[in-house]
Amino acid sequence: EDKVVQSPLSLVVHEGDTVTLNCSYEVTNFRSLLWYKQEKKAPTFLFMLTSSGIEKKSGRLSSILDKKELFSILNITATQTGDSAVYLCAGHNTNAGKSTFGDGTTLTVKP
Amino acid sequence: SQTIHQWPATLVQPVGSPLSLECTVEGTSNPNLYWYRQAAGRGLQLLFYSVGIGQISSEVPQNLSASRPQDRQFILSSKKLLLSDSGFYLCAWSRILGWVEQFFGPGTRLTVL
């Protein structure tokens, strides 16, 4: 059974801090690792990672995948209150055609 | 552009009552469709997915069922709700042929009393 574990489960920081969110996975026929941000309702897509060691970057957010150690990290630099959300990662099983999600990391950024 | 609709946004139902949640996608054809449930403070649990009309795969045994009567319509149903069915239900779609990114609808918050 595919499994994705995220840590920490929750995190409280102050504006301007840098945070690192972790995601480890055990996914059969692994194709991709995806990160989503969920604020109030629907998760929105952040990154899709398929290759080890290649950093994906979008503004203050960046992510990298290690396919040997089976984990990914999501970094957020100079955090803002608008970064407060649940961050979900998911491992995609290409044969089954579906993704398994972790329980998420709840990030709270205080002013 | 593609849009995904879900309704209702919020639902309060008594135990033992039936359920029907609807999801429709616009602006694409032959999408993969998914139903997820999210308990408070938890990740997304995949309930059903569909790769075509009438084709439903069930992930978790339970008293819920899903149907896909049209290419871009996905319905989640129950004949008799349980307290444990309470949660946030999300519908999502993805392009087929290996496209993995999923696009989520606004969700339905279901409370079973």
Side-chain angles (χ1 to χ4, degrees):
Chain A
E1 186 179 332
D2 295 343
K3 187 177 175 183
V4 175
V5 178
Q6 292 186 246
S7 64
L9 291 180
S10 66
L11 192 55
V12 180
V13 300
H14 288 96
E15 274 192 317
D17 289 348
T18 293
V19 297
T20 298
L21 310 183
N22 304 295
C23 175
S24 65
Y25 64 91
E26 295 173 26
V27 174
T28 308
N29 301 304
F30 174 81
R31 177 186 171 120
S32 306
L33 192 290
L34 302 102
W35 284 97
Y36 292 85
K37 177 182 182 182
Q38 184 179 26
E39 293 181 78
K40 297 277 185 180
K41 295 190 174 180
T44 54
F45 173 77
L46 293 175
F47 298 111
M48 181 173 71
L49 304 151
T50 55
S51 301
S52 267
I54 298 175
E55 186 184 56
K56 291 259 179 123
K57 200 169 171 65
S58 176
R60 297 176 293 103
L61 278 65
S62 62
S63 185
I64 198 161
L65 176 68
D66 185 328
K67 291 171 77 172
K68 183 179 176 185
E69 300 297 329
L70 306 183
F71 80 88
S72 173
I73 60 171
L74 174 69
N75 279 322
I76 309 175
T77 59
T79 51
Q80 303 171 357
T81 54
D83 294 326
S84 295
V86 176
Y87 290 84
L88 298 163
C89 82
H92 191 78
N93 181 321
T94 190
N95 279 16
K98 58 187 175 81
S99 298
T100 298
F101 282 79
D103 283 344
T105 293
T106 301
L107 173 66
T108 303
V109 181
K110 293 190 171 182
Chain B
S1 63
Q2 299 83 19
T3 311
I4 178 167
H5 302 279
Q6 264 187 266
W7 64 92
T10 306
L11 194 58
V12 180
Q13 293 279 92
V15 169
S17 63
L19 173 73
S20 180
L21 302 181
E22 191 159 339
C23 170
T24 59
V25 181
E26 294 176 359
T28 188
S29 57
N30 300 318
N32 282 349
L33 295 171
Y34 309 84
W35 277 112
Y36 290 91
R37 179 170 59 204
Q38 186 176 34
R42 301 296 303 273
L44 305 183
Q45 179 190 34
L46 181 62
L47 302 175
F48 301 94
Y49 68 100
S50 171
V51 298
I53 296 174
Q55 300 177 60
I56 309 293
S57 296
S58 174
E59 289 295 299
V60 182
Q62 57 212 325
N63 68 322
L64 298 172
S65 63
S67 62
R68 186 170 176 174
Q70 299 178 42
D71 181 46
R72 288 169 286 179
Q73 184 185 29
F74 206 22
I75 298 172
L76 182 69
S77 304
S78 173
K79 291 181 180 177
K80 285 187 178 183
L81 284 169
L82 306 173
L83 287 174
S84 57
D85 291 323
S86 293
F88 190 49
Y89 288 81
L90 285 158
C91 179
W93 74 273
S94 68
R95 296 181 179 89
I96 58 172
L97 299 177
W99 195 264
V100 302
E101 176 190 345
Q102 294 180 25
F103 303 91
F104 289 85
T108 295
R109 189 160 302 282
L110 172 67
T111 303
V112 183
L113 300 175

